[in-house]
Amino acid sequence: MIRVPVLLTFLFIIPSCSQPDHLPDASRAVVQFTDIAPSAGITFRHTNGKSGRYYFLETVASGGGFIDYDGDGDLDVYLLNGAAIPGFVPDRPLSSALYRNDGNGSFTDVTGQAGVGNAGGYGMGMAVADYDNDGDDDLFVTNYGANVLYRNEGDGTFTDVTARTRLTVPRNPTFSTSAAFLDYDRDGHLDLYVCAYVEFAFETNRRCVRDGIQSYCGPDIYEGAADLLYRNNGDGTFTDVSAEAGIANPEGKGLGVVGGDYDGDGWTDIFVANDLTPDFLYRNNGDGTFTDMALLAGVAYGEDGVARAGMGVDIGDYDRNGSPDIYVTNFSLEPNSLHRNNGNGTFTETTFGAGVGNPTLLYLGFGTGFKDFDHDGWLDIFAANGHVIDNISLFDPTITYPQTNQLFRNEGDGRFTDISDRAGAPFQVERVHRGAAFGDVDNDGDIDVLVTTVNDVPLLLRNDGTGGEDAHSLLVATEGVRSNRNGIGARVAVVTGAVRQSREIRSAYSYLAANDLRAHFGLGAHAEADSVIVDWPGGARDVATGVEGGQLITIREGAGIVSRTPFPRR
C-alpha cells in the first residue's frame, strides 16, 4: 500500500453507451444524505488496539454490514470490533455489535441476546446468507484469528457452528478479510470464498521508519496468503476445495471480493482486489475449477502496467451495455480503477476518461459500491475513504489521515461527476473510514449507506432523495426453490421502454461488508416497469409484466411475484 507512483495524464475516447437516449438532466438536483446513526441509537465505537507499536493489522480493520437476522423485513446492523492485542489492554472486553432495526427509525443493541459478540477474534469483515436453506440468514465473521460461522436459529439467537461445519483452518492465526457466499457449482447450496491477506504475527511485526520517523509498514514486506474456497456439501458441512478449484494462489494479498458472471455464460466468476499484487479474475470453468483471466482480460494491473493497492471492489453495468463493469478502490496517489466490460471477455480501463481518476488521487479508498442513488436509471459510485498511515501528513502534506467520502453521479454518457460537496453534511466530515455497506434500511425505496470507521463511531447515511417526487424505484427480493434460498447468483432485469437494467443478487462486495440482498432499480420518470425478468442460477426464468414502481416485490422461483409491499410516502 505504501509507495509513490508516477502520475501520468491520459486521454481516452469513451465508447458510446448502447442506449444513448434517456440521458439524465445534468442540471437536476443532487441527492442528499443525513447521518442518522446518533439519533437511531447506534452508539458503537470501534477500537483497533492502537498503542504506538504500529502493528500492521491495525491499518485495515474493521468492517460491518446488514443482516435481517429476525426475518421481519427490516435490515439490522452488525459492526466488527478489534480486540486486546500486545501493548493494548482495553478497559473492558471488546465486542462486535448487532443492532436490531425496530422499524421506526431506531435500533436496539441485541448482541448479548443474539450471542454474536465475536469475543475470540480481532474482527475484520462479514458475509451474510442462508447457507443451510432453512429460511433465515446466517452470519460468517472473518478475523485475525479464527473465523466464525454463526448459524441463525430463527428465534433471535445464533449458534457458533464453525467446528461442526468444518470451517476451521489448520493454521492459526489467519488474517482473513472479505468473504462471499456464492453458488459456484450451481447445486443450490451456497459455497464460501474467504480472502486471506498476508502472513502476519505480532512476534514478527516489522519496524518501518521513513525520514527517521516510525510509521506503519506496507504489505510489500509481508508474504501473501492463499485465499480459501469452501464447497457446501448440502448436509451442513463444508469442504476446503481451494487447491483443486485453482484459487489457492499464495501470491495474492486479498482485501476485497465480489462474485458475478462477467462473461455471461451463466456461471459465477470471482474478482479479488489484491494489495500491491495483481488482482485476480477467476473465470468459472463450470466443472468445479477456476482460471485466473485477470491478465488476459486487462484487469490485473493498472493501465501503466503496475499492480495497484486494491482495497474494495464492486461490479455493475454502469453504461447499460448488458455486461457488468468493475470498480476498485486503491491507495492515495493512485486512481481508483474503473474497468469497462467490452462484452468479449476483456475490459478497457476508463478511469480518467470517465472522470473518476483525478478526483480520487489524494484519497485512499476502501468500501465502495455501484448504486443508483437518485433513481435516474444509471448506477452511481460511492467510495469510503481514510488513510492507513496515521502520520501520513509528515511525509506528504497534501494527504490527510482522516478523509471525506466521495459520491460520483453517473451522467449517462460514460462519465461521472464528483458531487460529494453537494450531497449533504456527512460528506464534509473527515474520518478514517473503512467498510461501506449498502441497503434500504427504512424500506422507502432508496439506497442508504452504512460506513465504518477506525477508532470512531459509524455513519448510517439515510438517503433523503433529491427533494423531487418525479423519480420512481423498485426493490426486488428473490426466493429460490431449486436454487439457493436467497437466489444469490440470479440475474434480475428490469425493462422500461427501450431501457434494460440488470443486477445480480449478491450480498458480498465493497470491503469487509455484507449488503442488502434485494436488487434496487431506479425507474426515472417511469411509473412502472414493462417487465421484470429473473434468470435463476439453475436455468429457470420468471417473468412479470406491468409491474408498478414504488414497491418491494418478492419473486419466488417458479411462482413469479408472491408479495408486494408499497413504499411509504415521504
Side-chain angles (χ1 to χ4, degrees):
M1 288 182 299
I2 301 172
R3 67 158 183 256
V4 181
V6 177
L7 302 185
L8 302 175
T9 301
F10 298 91
L11 296 177
F12 296 92
I13 299 176
I14 301 299
S16 61
C17 299
S18 60
Q19 295 158 332
D21 54 345
H22 306 285
L23 296 183
D25 179 6
S27 63
R28 65 196 183 282
V30 170
V31 63
Q32 299 294 299
F33 289 86
T34 300
D35 179 14
I36 63 169
S39 62
I42 298 177
T43 59
F44 173 88
R45 178 176 288 270
H46 175 261
T47 299
N48 74 345
K50 176 181 177 182
S51 65
R53 298 191 180 190
Y54 289 95
Y55 288 121
F56 179 64
L57 88 164
E58 298 168 11
T59 62
V60 292
S62 296
F66 296 118
I67 174 174
D68 181 10
Y69 87 100
D70 52 3
D72 64 355
D74 297 319
L75 293 177
D76 310 299
V77 168
Y78 188 69
L79 296 160
L80 278 301
N81 209 349
I85 60 177
F88 171 75
V89 179
D91 296 334
R92 60 182 183 276
L94 298 179
S95 172
S96 298
L98 176 63
Y99 285 90
R100 184 188 65 218
N101 188 335
D102 296 326
N104 58 3
S106 64
F107 289 76
T108 299
D109 187 341
V110 294
T111 311
Q113 172 189 337
V116 291
N118 190 39
Y122 187 104
M124 295 299 298
M126 61 185 287
V128 167
D130 184 4
Y131 83 91
D132 51 3
N133 289 329
D134 67 348
D136 44 42
D137 288 336
D138 310 295
L139 171 64
F140 181 74
V141 174
T142 63
N143 288 306
Y144 175 77
N147 299 326
V148 183
L149 177 60
Y150 292 107
R151 182 183 185 272
N152 192 330
E153 300 298 342
D155 60 0
T157 68
F158 291 78
T159 300
D160 180 350
V161 295
T162 313
R164 185 193 314 173
T165 55
R166 303 177 188 170
L167 284 175
T168 54
V169 294
R171 66 184 192 275
N172 191 42
T174 57
F175 198 159
S176 302
T177 53
S178 295
F181 282 107
L182 44 85
D183 187 4
Y184 79 91
D185 51 4
R186 301 197 314 198
D187 65 352
H189 302 288
L190 289 172
D191 314 297
L192 179 62
Y193 190 101
V194 183
C195 288
Y197 191 23
V198 297
E199 298 290 350
F200 168 81
F202 292 111
E203 299 77 15
T204 57
N205 185 64
R206 304 286 293 274
R207 186 176 190 272
C208 292
V209 176
R210 299 174 183 82
D211 301 329
I213 303 170
Q214 185 176 2
S215 187
Y216 286 105
C217 298
D220 51 313
I221 68 170
Y222 293 99
E223 296 295 323
D227 295 343
L228 295 164
L229 178 63
Y230 297 97
R231 184 186 65 225
N232 189 329
N233 300 318
D235 60 0
T237 66
F238 291 81
T239 299
D240 183 350
V241 295
S242 311
E244 64 190 75
I247 65 92
N249 185 350
E251 300 302 315
K253 299 177 180 180
L255 286 176
V257 64
V258 62
D261 183 10
Y262 83 94
D263 53 2
D265 65 355
W267 295 89
T268 297
D269 311 298
I270 301 169
F271 184 94
V272 179
N274 287 314
D275 194 356
L276 283 184
T277 61
D279 292 335
F280 298 148
L281 178 60
Y282 288 121
R283 185 188 65 198
N284 191 329
N285 298 322
D287 60 1
T289 68
F290 293 82
T291 301
D292 183 8
M293 302 297 294
L295 182 60
L296 293 177
V299 296
Y301 301 92
E303 57 202 350
D304 56 357
V306 176
R308 291 174 178 162
M311 313 293 182
V313 61
D314 194 15
I315 60 173
D317 186 9
Y318 81 89
D319 53 1
R320 296 197 318 213
N321 70 350
S323 299
D325 313 293
I326 301 173
Y327 188 77
V328 184
T329 52
N330 297 308
F331 202 73
S332 55
L333 301 184
E334 295 176 335
N336 292 345
S337 307
L338 180 61
H339 301 285
R340 183 181 187 272
N341 193 326
N342 298 319
N344 60 1
T346 69
F347 293 77
T348 299
E349 183 171 348
T350 58
T351 301
F352 284 92
V356 294
N358 288 332
T360 63
L361 286 173
L362 296 183
Y363 293 87
L364 198 162
F366 279 95
T368 192
F370 280 115
K371 294 295 173 185
D372 183 3
F373 292 107
D374 54 6
H375 300 164
D376 63 359
W378 297 92
L379 291 174
D380 312 301
I381 298 173
F382 176 94
N385 300 314
H387 216 277
V388 296
I389 305 174
D390 59 353
N391 52 6
I392 183 63
S393 60
L394 298 178
F395 311 110
D396 187 339
T398 67
I399 300 175
T400 60
Y401 180 51
Q403 298 178 346
T404 55
N405 295 323
Q406 289 178 293
L407 182 62
F408 295 93
R409 184 176 67 188
N410 192 331
E411 302 297 351
D413 58 359
R415 294 176 296 177
F416 292 81
T417 300
D418 185 352
I419 58 170
S420 312
D421 61 346
R422 293 175 282 160
F427 285 87
Q428 315 309 314
V429 179
E430 292 185 341
R431 287 189 174 96
V432 186
H433 305 99
R434 287 295 179 260
F438 304 87
D440 188 357
V441 295
D442 48 6
N443 287 326
D444 65 348
D446 51 30
I447 296 298
D448 312 297
V449 189
L450 172 72
V451 187
T452 66
T453 64
V454 177
N455 295 327
D456 209 332
V457 295
L459 294 81
L460 183 56
L461 305 182
R462 185 187 64 204
N463 187 332
D464 293 329
T466 61
E469 299 294 335
D470 57 343
H472 304 270
S473 66
L474 188 66
L475 207 58
V476 181
T478 52
E479 184 181 311
V481 179
R482 292 185 59 192
S483 304
N484 64 84
R485 174 85 176 193
N486 296 122
I488 289 176
R491 173 164 287 192
V492 182
V494 167
V495 180
T496 51
V499 174
R500 181 187 180 98
Q501 302 179 60
S502 63
R503 312 274 191 270
E504 286 190 45
I505 300 297
R506 50 197 166 81
S507 168
Y509 54 94
S510 187
Y511 175 75
L512 308 181
N515 304 275
D516 197 339
L517 279 157
R518 302 170 295 185
H520 169 267
F521 296 85
L523 305 182
H526 295 273
E528 70 172 29
D530 298 332
S531 59
V532 178
I533 306 162
V534 180
D535 288 307
W536 299 91
R541 169 177 282 191
D542 282 295
V543 180
T545 58
V547 180
E548 291 186 6
Q551 62 175 333
L552 160 66
I553 62 173
T554 298
I555 297 181
R556 182 177 299 150
E557 187 175 13
I561 298 177
V562 295
S563 71
R564 304 170 187 261
T565 305
F567 300 140
R569 300 185 68 86
R570 289 191 183 278

